[in-house]
Amino acid sequence: DTAVSQTPKYLVTQMGNDKSIKCEQNLGHDTMYWYKQDSKKFLKIMFSYNNKELIINETVPNRFSPKSPDKAHLNLHINSLELGDSAVYFCASSGRQSANYGYTFGSGTRLTVV
Amino acid sequence: QQQVKQSPQSLIVQKGGISIINCAYENTAFDYFPWYQQFPGKGPALLIAIRPDVSEKKEGRFTISFNKSAKQFSLHIMDSQPGDSATYFCAASNTGNQFYFGTGTSLTVIP
């Protein structure tokens, strides 16, 4: 049973399109995150939601919009895709009530913009 | 500003050797220091973690050494194996509110 699952795993799209990545966690965690990992493997946090409320919003173009319908889901919508958006996007979740905070990543979505 | 600084960026070690990756932090409020291991095509996965009330934690071939006064911690991989080849991230957190990750170290273990 996958703890943090994100779909799709691969996404190839043309510039200018709008796309969404979905994330779901079944760990009962209160906080969910979106990270962007570039070709140099650097993990850059984009957003953090706690119980459906936005708590971290790093400097990210407003073409990126997170949506959290409930605390188990955090989706990422990207409008007007650009070549520079190509990267691997990871969803993660954490729970302060868990031992060691239980910070868990999904398996990633590789986005390629052509 | 990078809250957690990690070095080296890449590391090549012979099979059976010791791999050492270092991290440093500034925020003394951090109370949890995990290491994550990431294989190609996978998400980072928790490898081992330590809290600042102990100076060392060992799990199998993996050991974290923690120096609170120097605000540094390191990952030691003993008897390194080709299967250990991956990218390793250190991280730090303050009560689990937010995790700050290092820039990653690409480890290659040569057979």
Side-chain angles (χ1 to χ4, degrees), chain A residues 41-56:
Chain A
K41 299 290 188 182
F42 181 60
L43 280 167
K44 177 179 168 57
I45 190 166
M46 302 173 69
F47 302 102
S48 172
Y49 266 75
N50 182 271
N51 278 322
K52 301 194 304 176
E53 291 194 19
L54 181 66
I55 57 173
I56 294 174

Side-chain angles (χ1 to χ4, degrees), chain A residues 64-75:
Chain A
F64 291 79
S65 56
K67 286 186 171 55
S68 182
D70 55 60
K71 77 172 193 176
H73 296 83
L74 180 62
N75 304 322

Side-chain angles (χ1 to χ4, degrees), chain B residues 7-109:
Chain B
S7 63
Q9 186 176 358
S10 62
L11 182 61
I12 299 174
V13 174
Q14 292 275 359
K15 178 183 176 182
I18 302 174
S19 303
I20 302 174
I21 305 171
N22 300 300
C23 285
Y25 64 97
E26 287 297 326
N27 188 345
T28 55
F30 288 146
D31 66 350
Y32 177 63
F33 301 88
W35 284 88
Y36 283 79
Q37 180 187 53
Q38 184 182 23
F39 292 108
K42 304 290 186 183
L46 179 65
L47 181 64
I48 186 173
I50 197 169
R51 291 194 181 272
D53 52 347
V54 296
S55 60
E56 185 175 283
K57 183 172 182 180
K58 184 176 181 179
E59 290 184 2
R61 296 183 294 107
F62 300 90
T63 299
I64 299 179
S65 295
F66 187 83
N67 186 330
K68 190 173 181 178
S69 61
K71 292 185 283 188
Q72 295 174 349
F73 58 111
S74 59
L75 175 70
H76 296 239
I77 306 174
M78 312 299 287
D79 187 26
S80 298
Q81 299 296 312
D84 297 331
S85 297
T87 300
Y88 292 81
F89 294 93
C90 62
S93 177
N94 173 14
T95 65
N97 287 322
Q98 186 176 348
F99 279 60
Y100 297 91
F101 286 86
T103 49
T105 296
S106 177
L107 171 65
T108 302
V109 181

